[in-house]
Amino acid sequence: MNAPTDLSMKTDEVLRVELEVFKREHRDLDEAIQALAEKGMGDQLTLQRLKKRKLRLKDLIAQIEDRLTPDIIA
């Protein structure tokens, strides 16, 4: 997740591709966290780091979705 956070310089096409990649990574992290927690294999520090990364991805996904969603004036 070393992608630059300046979304204004990227095209919508690039953002859509990145969005799918970030969503997939978010799902993978969720599954990994769940598996480690269920098996009791992960230490608390590792689980905490994975959860923080998952939250950063969630925020980035929200930013990209906001950028791709057109503003609708009611």
Side-chain angles (χ1 to χ4, degrees):
M1 198 178 103
N2 297 330
T5 56
D6 185 14
L7 302 177
S8 63
M9 299 299 290
K10 297 181 180 179
T11 66
D12 287 355
E13 181 78 21
V14 170
L15 289 174
R16 284 186 187 92
V17 171
E18 286 184 350
L19 181 62
E20 290 306 313
V21 170
F22 293 150
K23 283 183 175 182
R24 187 176 327 121
E25 186 176 349
H26 186 269
R27 278 191 306 270
D28 292 345
L29 279 171
D30 191 39
E31 291 172 5
I33 290 167
Q34 191 174 20
L36 287 173
E38 286 175 1
K39 293 181 180 180
M41 294 178 61
D43 60 31
Q44 289 301 319
L45 184 59
T46 301
L47 287 172
Q48 188 177 19
R49 286 180 178 163
L50 291 173
K51 288 178 181 181
K52 280 187 177 185
R53 184 169 180 180
K54 184 179 160 194
L55 283 174
R56 284 194 305 267
L57 278 171
K58 182 179 176 183
D59 290 342
L60 188 54
I61 288 168
Q63 288 176 356
I64 293 173
E65 286 175 339
D66 286 346
R67 165 91 192 289
L68 291 174
T69 304
D71 292 335
I72 299 173
I73 300 173

